[in-house]
Amino acid sequence: MTIDPPPAIDTLRFATAGSVDDGKSTLVGRLLHDSKSVLADQMEAVEHASRSRGQDTPDLALLTDGLRAEREQGITIDVAYRYFATPRRRFILADTPGHVQYTRNMVTGASTADLALVLVDARHGVVEQTRRHLAVSALLRIPRVTLVVNKMDLAGCSEQVFADIVAEFADCAGTLGVAHVTAVPVSALDGDNVVRPSARMDWYGGPTVLEHLETVPTGVDPRTEPARLPVQYVIRPQTAGHRDYRGYAGQLVSGLLRVGDPVTVLPSGRSSVVEAIDTPAGTAPAAWAPQSVTVRLADDIDIARGDLLAPADAPPRTTRLIHGTVCHLAERPLRAGQRVLLKHTTRTVRARVEEIGSRLDLRDLTERPGPWTLDANDIGRIVVRTAEPVALDGYAELRRTGSFLLIDPEDGSTLTAGMADAPEDPAAPGRAEGV
């Protein structure tokens, strides 16, 4: 019998990015306001705050700039999440900071996005921070990037200005391997081409920003990806009614898992068969990403938090030597030879930074070899050796099981976010020397 997942709820997760004063918060505010996604009391609060600052019209940027420091400085500092819907689709929006100091916050906000809206000021064109955000979008493998050329009213609504910016942006995107780029000219302040078409830019025949967001393809069919179930918790009630119950709970981060499927437990490599799948609604013949389930196996196997269940015919490779691209998040530099903790799905192991091979120069998008350290917001290539094997996919193939974090073992703070290459060699037995 063929088991098909139900149609997914049509939800688009997207992130905004761009340089300081490109108008991200105003664009988001305009998008929410003109799509009638703002509650009356929210709008009243914005109008009151705008009047208190001496403004005659509501400052729609205040709909997203919620922190006092953001309002005082007129910049976005933290990631602001907004949820809204139209008759055609639901949206989860992450408004990420534009200042270079907060690039690391963009990594957080865009890590699960299906689409990135990168804003450019029509007067300034593509700047270094634009390239930085485009590079982060490429590294995070965000499937689609949309260029929004804002403040077109301040550039005379010129078609040539728009075309020149699109050409430069497309050249950068091609260098970074970004395949799908759509460009929209807008004036977020006046609402041109945000929700409604602009009469001032009648030379543009494409969709508005909202029309594009409503129609761009989303999601991945779980049947096209191998199943991955990181074990979060082992359930052993040992009550009178469930004396022999042993289940492995977690969230399916990719793929489709059926009762009767042969599975491999990693990193041990032991095999079994899915005997039952328990969900909050009861037992089920199958489960698919991103459901949270409890899986029971036909054999008693030593399984603990941090292990991974995968199809026997399509498991990830286990490795103790991880090559990857990272964005350094902490104020303290990351150094070659530094001891860290590596967190991958639900598994945390001791590790050491073996090598920092290069740093990306965002002025010309080239890699500069040989740095000994990575500073906050730097993007670079590193090699990490772990004390225990990690079941790893390449980030290009599976984002959830190809990503990792480096953590300070002293205070538990997050140091670095990483995107792993597909492992080439199977893990060596035993412990990593010197870790």
Side-chain angles (χ1 to χ4, degrees):
M1 179 179 68
T2 301
I3 300 173
D4 291 329
I9 297 174
D10 196 7
T11 301
L12 177 71
R13 303 179 69 102
F14 71 100
T16 61
S19 188
V20 174
D21 292 333
D22 280 351
K24 295 182 306 303
S25 297
T26 302
L27 174 72
V28 173
R30 175 63 66 183
L31 191 61
L32 295 173
H33 178 269
D34 288 7
S35 63
K36 304 186 186 307
S37 301
V38 181
L39 298 177
D41 59 339
Q42 291 176 308
M43 199 62 215
E44 288 175 6
V46 168
E47 290 171 349
H48 175 75
S50 300
R51 285 194 300 270
S52 68
R53 298 167 62 175
Q55 295 172 284
D56 296 329
T57 58
D59 183 355
L60 298 180
L62 299 180
L63 287 170
T64 56
D65 285 343
L67 298 178
R68 176 179 295 181
E70 293 178 325
R71 295 192 176 194
E72 290 175 350
Q73 299 178 58
I75 64 173
T76 300
I77 295 174
D78 202 359
V79 180
Y81 291 95
R82 293 294 180 268
Y83 305 85
F84 68 103
T86 67
R88 302 176 70 175
R89 176 172 279 175
R90 300 179 189 177
F91 301 94
I92 301 174
L93 181 157
D95 184 27
T96 69
H99 196 283
V100 63
Q101 181 180 350
Y102 304 110
T103 300
R104 53 195 171 189
N105 290 19
M106 186 211 167
V107 175
T108 302
S111 60
T112 59
D114 301 307
L115 179 145
L117 284 182
V118 180
L119 270 72
V120 168
D121 188 322
R123 300 168 299 172
H124 304 147
V126 175
V127 297
E128 181 176 334
Q129 189 67 346
T130 308
R131 292 191 290 271
R132 183 183 296 271
H133 287 151
L134 185 56
V136 171
S137 300
L139 293 172
L140 292 174
R141 300 282 176 171
I142 298 175
R144 287 172 172 79
V145 174
T146 300
L147 167 64
V148 178
V149 182
N150 192 23
K151 305 187 181 182
M152 286 294 296
D153 54 312
L154 301 181
C157 294
S158 167
E159 181 178 6
Q160 188 60 51
V161 168
F162 176 69
D164 291 344
I165 292 173
V166 171
E168 185 177 359
F169 188 89
D171 184 58
C172 293
T175 301
L176 293 165
V178 176
H180 302 284
V181 175
T182 301
V184 185
V186 308
S187 169
L189 187 64
D190 299 328
D192 293 78
N193 285 335
V194 179
V195 172
R196 300 179 184 86
S198 171
R200 295 189 291 180
M201 289 177 273
D202 53 4
W203 44 264
Y204 172 72
T208 65
V209 172
L210 183 60
E211 287 172 345
H212 177 61
L213 295 176
E214 287 181 323
T215 56
V216 69
T218 64
V220 176
D221 186 340
R223 290 169 297 187
T224 66
E225 295 184 328
R228 300 287 187 262
L229 179 65
V231 176
Q232 184 171 358
Y233 188 67
V234 179
I235 300 177
R236 290 291 311 278
Q238 295 183 319
T239 60
H242 301 87
R243 193 167 299 279
D244 297 321
Y245 187 97
R246 184 195 295 262
Y248 309 104
Q251 183 188 44
L252 261 171
V253 296
S254 65
L256 175 69
L257 201 59
R258 301 177 177 87
V259 172
D261 281 354
V263 293
T264 297
V265 181
L266 298 167
S268 70
R270 295 178 179 176
S271 299
S272 188
V273 173
V274 176
E275 186 175 63
I277 298 173
D278 298 326
T279 74
T283 58
W288 42 83
Q291 284 183 304
S292 293
V293 297
T294 300
V295 172
R296 288 179 276 158
L297 301 181
D299 305 283
D300 284 339
I301 299 176
D302 183 11
I303 299 175
R305 174 183 170 86
D307 288 343
L308 182 76
L309 303 184
D313 60 352
R317 303 192 79 165
T318 55
T319 184
R320 293 187 299 136
L321 196 63
I322 299 173
H323 297 254
T325 301
V326 300
C327 180
H328 189 57
L329 311 177
E331 293 296 337
R332 302 187 302 275
L334 184 73
R335 304 180 184 279
Q338 185 171 340
R339 297 178 187 275
V340 296
L341 297 177
L342 183 141
K343 180 173 175 57
H344 173 258
T345 64
T346 58
R347 187 174 181 82
T348 302
V349 299
R350 292 183 298 115
R352 183 178 62 201
V353 179
E354 292 282 284
E355 175 186 321
I356 298 177
S358 63
R359 180 190 293 119
L360 183 66
D361 188 332
L362 291 166
R363 292 170 297 184
D364 56 10
L365 302 178
T366 59
E367 290 190 2
R368 303 297 185 191
W372 291 100
T373 64
L374 291 178
D375 296 320
N377 299 309
D378 278 348
I379 295 168
R381 294 280 303 170
I382 70 170
V383 180
V384 180
R385 184 178 294 276
T386 60
E388 301 169 22
V390 176
L392 192 73
D393 289 292
Y395 186 85
E397 288 74 43
L398 291 173
R399 290 169 74 182
R400 291 291 298 274
T401 47
S403 57
F404 63 89
L405 295 174
L406 300 184
I407 298 170
D408 189 324
E410 299 296 328
D411 59 15
S413 61
T414 300
L415 301 174
T416 307
M419 289 70 70
D421 299 345
E424 295 181 0
D425 300 316
R431 299 166 64 87
E433 211 175 290
V435 176

